[in-house]
Amino acid sequence: MMVPTTSPAPAQLVSTPAIDWHRVVELFLLSRELDDLAENRLLPAKKIHYQFSARGHELGQILLGLLLTHPHDGIATYYRSRPLMLALGLTPEEALASDMARAGSSSGGRDVGVVFNRPGSGGATVIPTAGGVGTQYTPSAGWAHAITYSRDVLEDSTYQGAIALVLGGDGSVATNGFWAALNIATTRRLPLLFYIEDNSFGLSVPSTVQTPGGNIVANLASFGGLRFFGADSNNPTATSQAVAEAVNFVRSGEGPALLRVTMPRLSGHSGQDTQAYKGENLIAAERAHDPLKSLRASLVPATISEHEWVAMAESAAAQVVAAFVLADAQPEPDPSAATRHLFAEAEARVPASAPAPPHPARVNLLTAIRLTLEHELRRNPKLLILGEDIGLKGGVHGATLGLQAAFGAGRVFDTSLSEEGIIGNAVGMALAGLRPVAEIQFRKYAEPATEQLMDCGTLRWRTNNRFAAPLVVRMPGGFGPRCGDPWHSHTNEVMFAHAAGWQVIFPSNAEDATGLLRTALRSQNPSIFFEHRYQLDAAWARRPYPGDDFMLPLGVAKTVLEGSGLTVVTWGAMVERCILASQKVQANAEVIDLRTIAPWDRDAVLASVRKTRRCLIVHEDWLSAGFGAEIAAVVAREGFLNLDAPVERVAMESMPLPYNNGLSAAVLPGVDTIAAKMEEILSF
């Protein structure tokens, strides 16, 4: 069976407006003046810390910026994209305020000055840039996917003709993100334009090391479903034609395209780069082929008089001087606000709702997840589910079984085998206003997506609350019902508890899974939702389905066993084992199921410790630097005077889980191990 792809809209060629060469020159000169000021004055004076020049890169970017006018266009930039930003309306004062990390910058001084974002207000949206090379590609594919989803599934005709544009250098075509986005865009025929600026160097490494022969187009010539365009920026006419044709092609709905424009990089990679690796002859040759010289030669005097050119140059210089005065007068960001906007501040705390009247049949945790997803899909037309094998197969664990048949392949769909692609795609869709639910088949498989996950968590903070990507990543893991192994039994939830901006959820039973997942699906913050493999069908984890309106607040623990002799803090599959261990030794333990570890319920834990005066923390993740260490540190600091015994931890040995059942049992926290530690603490 063919993999479902997004059907292209009927081809509608978009008329390309005539090029306003006066405006192109104005923006070109303005960009060059900004680079001159930053490179020659601000960096030596330590007014800025990082400086990335766009010298040589201006022409194609400006032409693109003047054509990206659709209100649903989305643009993913990188650190050499200021000319494009100027064409989209960035003022010189805003540009310099960003360079100088002032309060009026697009990030409020939180991010590097050339890392931009720009909410759409009648024009194109600039997707928040990340500092990692190649990380811009898959979110741009997600934005393009959101265009087709809004146009075809939500039947919103205002998305007709909208496109996504992603900028990258020749070095970035070697990254995982580029290839993941290429696969997504071509297999789904997305309206995505890849704009590759080929200046022959990735910092100091020649492009021939990134791509055989140094030309990505030559190597992709037979790549299916991708149209190619190209030009040399020293030929303004050919460059303007290639840019217009590429934009027009993608707007027509025929699929993605790749536009490669060659150019010299007339400054170092950054202000600290001397370019000694190039040699004097190459540097001189590059300067002789400055696209600004070619632009002037092609326009003066045929289109622009010598007098006009000089006047525009003087105007650009004056604008930049005036902008510097204004930017330099801006206040520094408020230090007291440095920690704001990691999470949505306006989000109301979800009260714990009462479960529906008990259903005669209990459901397992897996069914609870499926029922919750089904109801939320029905309730919210912007919610969609993506991942490997989640379509017709219904997921390797069965959590999405039947959902594609019920809601269609446009809303529940399989992806290519790239976790970076899955998460980056989901981030782009969330930025565009959809509510994606991404499945990573097993926790260990999330590692290729780590950069996208970390960048997503900081999105709200590093854009100073201008953008957010509220999505849910479902992530099964933990030891299995029959065996474990190093690849499918990973938990390592502490990694995401340590990641800024993420809500981390780890239910132990079907009722909690329903309430917590629904809350995450309606939250304005991104969430990691762990699904323990053993608990998916465990008898202990089964509960009556609590109904389609049931929600639980995040950060509120549940006392699953009352007691006064010992506080046991745990989550996931260890909850059941802690209850059994307490019963085995009659420990009179108070067992607290955290349910979420970011945020985690410090108040409930400390209140219990004040009562029992003893604390044991049990989790499946590794003992070394596991999340239990954080809890232990808080209890030792804030509950020190209430303790009658040392705070203890039981966790897995700091090693992969073995495949052999006997070996697995030797390193996992078992009932007997937990019980023995309880007795030790009680006898202290």
Side-chain angles (χ1 to χ4, degrees):
M1 178 176 288
M2 294 291 290
V3 176
T5 59
T6 302
S7 300
Q12 292 184 342
L13 292 179
V14 183
S15 60
T16 303
I19 298 171
D20 182 351
W21 285 109
H22 283 77
R23 184 60 179 155
V24 171
V25 171
E26 288 173 349
L27 292 167
F28 203 129
L29 293 170
L30 192 61
S31 178
R32 194 61 67 91
E33 286 291 338
L34 285 167
D35 279 334
D36 284 344
L37 177 68
E39 200 169 350
N40 299 321
R41 289 181 53 196
L42 301 187
L43 190 65
K46 296 183 168 43
K47 285 278 189 179
I48 60 176
H49 306 301
Y50 289 112
Q51 192 271 329
F52 291 87
S53 174
R55 292 173 184 271
H57 290 235
E58 298 95 343
L59 182 60
Q61 288 189 31
I62 291 169
L63 291 166
L64 281 166
L66 295 177
L67 292 178
L68 273 287
T69 57
H70 194 292
H72 296 304
D73 285 346
I75 304 169
T77 62
Y78 75 126
Y79 50 81
R80 218 178 296 283
S81 302
R82 189 163 62 190
L84 172 71
M85 295 299 302
L86 293 171
L88 293 171
L90 182 77
T91 68
E93 181 187 351
E94 289 172 326
L96 290 169
S98 292
D99 275 345
M100 298 163 69
R102 297 301 172 88
S105 71
S106 64
S107 70
R110 296 166 182 232
D111 211 338
V112 179
V114 291
V115 173
F116 292 105
N117 66 81
R118 191 174 182 85
S121 54
T125 294
V126 178
I127 301 168
T129 307
V133 176
T135 57
Q136 69 270 34
Y137 287 110
T138 51
S140 67
W143 188 281
H145 197 151
I147 290 171
T148 62
Y149 184 91
S150 300
R151 184 194 69 204
D152 301 336
V153 178
L154 300 180
E155 299 181 343
D156 186 341
S157 61
T158 67
Y159 282 82
Q160 187 72 40
I163 69 171
L165 166 71
V166 57
L167 281 72
D170 53 277
S172 70
V173 301
T175 64
N176 295 340
F178 173 78
W179 291 98
L182 203 61
N183 282 328
I184 295 168
T186 52
T187 56
R188 304 198 71 87
R189 302 185 67 180
L190 298 179
L192 176 58
L193 174 57
F194 295 83
Y195 176 58
I196 304 303
E197 298 187 312
D198 193 340
N199 60 33
S200 301
F201 283 90
L203 208 163
S204 67
V205 178
S207 58
T208 51
V209 178
Q210 313 291 352
T211 304
N215 184 343
I216 188 62
V217 171
N219 286 278
L220 288 174
S222 62
F223 205 90
L226 188 67
R227 181 70 69 89
F228 299 99
F229 301 88
D232 183 335
S233 61
N234 267 284
N235 186 332
T237 301
T239 301
S240 63
Q241 183 176 349
V243 167
E245 289 178 353
V247 171
N248 205 25
F249 173 81
V250 180
R251 287 209 192 282
S252 73
E254 295 187 48
L258 190 151
L259 167 62
R260 172 180 174 260
V261 175
T262 58
M263 63 205 60
R265 192 188 72 200
L266 300 176
S267 297
H269 169 75
S270 67
Q272 290 76 26
D273 179 17
T274 64
Q275 300 198 93
Y277 47 85
K278 283 187 175 180
E280 293 181 2
N281 290 339
L282 177 55
I283 291 175
E286 287 180 329
R287 289 174 179 169
H289 289 83
D290 183 348
L292 183 58
K293 295 178 181 178
S294 301
L295 182 64
R296 181 168 182 163
S298 69
L299 295 177
V300 178
T303 305
I304 298 173
S305 71
E306 180 71 30
H307 176 74
E308 286 178 306
W309 185 282
V310 172
M312 285 190 285
E314 291 174 347
S315 174
Q319 288 181 64
V320 170
V321 169
F324 170 70
V325 172
L326 294 173
D328 197 35
Q330 284 191 16
E332 298 283 344
D334 181 4
S336 68
T339 59
R340 289 188 62 191
H341 305 314
L342 276 171
F343 297 96
E345 294 180 351
E347 186 161 85
R349 189 180 178 101
V350 176
S353 55
H359 194 276
R362 302 198 311 166
V363 300
N364 62 16
L365 194 149
L366 184 71
T367 302
I369 291 168
R370 184 165 59 247
L371 291 172
T372 305
L373 291 172
E374 181 179 2
H375 177 75
E376 295 301 306
L377 279 164
R378 189 174 295 111
R379 171 185 173 273
N380 183 2
K382 292 188 175 182
L383 191 143
L384 41 82
I385 305 175
L386 67 155
E388 297 163 19
D389 303 303
I390 59 99
L392 291 176
K393 181 175 175 61
V396 294
H397 300 94
T400 57
L401 193 64
L403 296 183
Q404 188 181 84
F407 296 96
R411 297 191 66 192
V412 181
F413 56 89
D414 292 321
T415 65
S416 54
L417 207 163
S418 168
E419 282 74 22
E420 174 166 344
I422 293 169
I423 300 302
N425 201 9
V427 169
M429 288 189 284
L431 285 167
L434 301 182
R435 185 52 66 100
V437 183
E439 178 179 304
I440 300 294
Q441 285 186 350
F442 295 94
R443 162 64 191 89
K444 183 73 168 61
Y445 296 175
E447 291 175 3
T450 299
E451 191 167 32
Q452 291 295 335
L453 289 163
M454 299 302 104
D455 289 348
C456 176
T458 62
L459 235 165
R460 185 187 294 276
W461 178 87
R462 58 188 164 85
T463 63
N464 203 20
N465 206 34
R466 287 155 63 114
F467 285 88
L471 55 90
V472 173
V473 181
R474 295 178 36 251
M475 199 176 293
F479 64 89
R482 289 174 295 278
C483 68
D485 69 78
W487 313 110
H488 303 89
S489 306
H490 213 45
T491 56
N492 190 218
E493 65 272 17
V494 70
M495 172 178 164
F496 299 110
H498 190 68
W502 281 98
Q503 298 170 155
V504 183
I505 303 165
F506 210 145
S508 66
N509 61 78
E511 180 179 299
D512 288 353
T514 299
L516 295 169
L517 179 56
R518 180 165 288 114
T519 298
L521 292 171
R522 300 183 187 183
S523 173
Q524 293 305 306
N525 299 309
S527 302
I528 302 286
F529 188 83
F530 278 97
E531 301 166 7
H532 199 286
R533 294 171 61 215
Y534 183 82
Q535 300 299 97
L536 289 176
D537 193 35
W540 181 87
R542 297 180 184 184
R543 301 286 191 278
Y545 180 66
D548 291 336
D549 297 317
F550 182 62
M551 298 176 70
L552 285 173
L554 306 185
V556 178
K558 182 178 182 179
T559 301
V560 295
L561 189 65
E562 299 278 354
S564 59
L566 167 67
T567 295
V568 180
V569 185
T570 188
W571 57 91
M574 293 295 112
V575 175
E576 177 185 6
R577 294 190 175 195
C578 288
I579 293 172
L580 294 173
S582 179
Q583 293 169 345
K584 180 175 182 177
V585 297
Q586 298 181 336
N588 190 24
E590 183 153 282
V591 179
I592 296 175
D593 181 357
L594 280 187
R595 303 196 288 197
T596 65
I597 64 172
W600 67 282
D601 196 342
R602 300 157 63 107
D603 293 342
V605 171
L606 291 169
S608 180
V609 170
R610 283 194 291 270
K611 177 174 64 173
T612 68
R613 308 187 73 82
R614 289 172 169 80
C615 184
L616 171 64
I617 304 153
V618 182
H619 59 73
E620 183 179 340
D621 197 2
W622 293 356
L623 179 68
S624 175
F627 193 68
E630 170 69 15
I631 300 170
V634 170
V635 172
R637 172 65 180 84
E638 299 185 27
F640 180 77
L641 297 178
N642 304 112
L643 291 169
D644 288 339
V647 179
E648 295 282 2
R649 292 176 292 154
V650 174
M652 184 175 155
E653 295 289 336
S654 300
M655 58 176 288
L657 191 69
Y659 177 53
N660 176 273
N661 286 332
L663 295 177
S664 291
V667 297
L668 277 170
V671 173
D672 290 343
T673 305
I674 298 167
K677 183 59 72 173
M678 288 179 175
E679 289 184 313
E680 178 185 325
I681 296 171
L682 290 168
S683 64
F684 182 84

